[in-house]
Amino acid sequence: MSLISRVNSILLIIDCQARLVPAMSGFPTVEANIIGMVQAARLLHVPLRATEHCPDKIGPTVDSIRERVQQGEILSKTRFSGAAEPSIVDDLAQLERAQVVIAGIEAHVCVLQSAVGLLQLDYQPFLVVDGVTSRSTSDKAIALKRLTELGIQCVTTEMVLFEWLERGDTADFKSIIPLIKRLKL
């Protein structure tokens, strides 16, 4: 167990797709927190990836997130677990980072299976609890309980940002504070 390091982590946003999000419980809060993490990742040079599950059927990532992610950072998948998709596994391996900060939907399906798969691949996954959701709040709650029991660390968006920063006396800190103030708590 360790803190999240910006030089050793990746931000992974799972399946925040246009046809899925209208049914998600509390998605506006999740969306705002994901956008804050994406902006911080950009400022702090943390690589990020976004997955899209069967995008030909479910559609692309929602515009509010997609406009902040570069085309080469969007990875298509057909398996629920991104960690079971060979192209995603290869892409993450090329980044040579051991920690994966995970946000997205749905907590009890693709998020859970990806986090468990990444753990099995010897990554250190961190699940952002205010950056994930499901259609049902009970599905999310049970997913978080199960993930914790499996040894996956649950964190908040603020925890991620402050751990990436490490210090409060830097220009990076000054650039991230406005993002933190806009987070949905």
Side-chain angles (χ1 to χ4, degrees), residues 54-116:
C54 299
D56 56 321
K57 295 179 179 120
I58 302 175
T61 300
V62 292
D63 289 342
S64 60
I65 296 170
R66 188 178 188 86
E67 67 192 19
R68 292 169 169 85
V69 178
Q70 298 170 7
Q71 187 58 38
E73 296 170 330
I74 298 173
L75 310 172
S76 181
K77 66 184 185 65
T78 57
R79 299 167 193 241
F80 295 121
S81 171
E85 196 74 50
S87 62
I88 293 174
V89 172
D90 291 344
D91 184 82
L92 295 180
Q94 289 177 20
L95 295 172
E96 298 181 341
R97 304 229 173 173
Q99 299 176 330
V100 183
V101 176
I102 302 169
I105 59 177
E106 283 191 74
H108 67 295
V109 185
C110 295
V111 170
L112 181 139
Q113 290 186 34
S114 296
V116 171

Side-chain angles (χ1 to χ4, degrees), residues 28-43 68 130 157-158 161-162 173-185:
T29 297
V30 168
E31 179 181 36
N33 290 334
I34 289 173
I35 290 168
M37 284 186 289
V38 168
Q39 292 170 323
R42 291 277 182 242
L43 290 168
R68 292 169 169 85
D130 57 353
T157 300
E158 275 202 21
L161 300 185
F162 280 105
F173 178 79
K174 289 178 185 171
S175 68
I176 299 297
I177 283 300
L179 297 176
I180 291 169
K181 290 179 179 178
R182 287 194 305 263
L183 292 177
K184 301 273 185 165
L185 304 174

Side-chain angles (χ1 to χ4, degrees), residues 2-14 37 41 46-51 75 81-83 88-89 91-104 110-129 132 147 151-156 160 163-164:
S2 64
L3 296 175
I4 303 166
S5 164
R6 70 171 137 176
V7 298
N8 196 31
S9 64
I10 303 160
L11 174 59
L12 180 62
I13 304 158
I14 298 176
M37 284 186 289
V46 175
L48 66 98
R49 296 293 185 268
T51 65
L75 310 172
S81 171
I88 293 174
V89 172
D91 184 82
L92 295 180
Q94 289 177 20
L95 295 172
E96 298 181 341
R97 304 229 173 173
Q99 299 176 330
V100 183
V101 176
I102 302 169
C110 295
V111 170
L112 181 139
Q113 290 186 34
S114 296
V116 171
L118 289 166
L119 183 66
Q120 291 170 338
L121 292 173
D122 293 325
Y123 285 94
Q124 187 179 16
F126 294 86
L127 185 77
V128 185
V129 297
V132 298
L147 288 163
I152 293 167
Q153 293 184 62
C154 291
V155 297
T156 65
V160 172
E163 289 175 34
W164 277 347

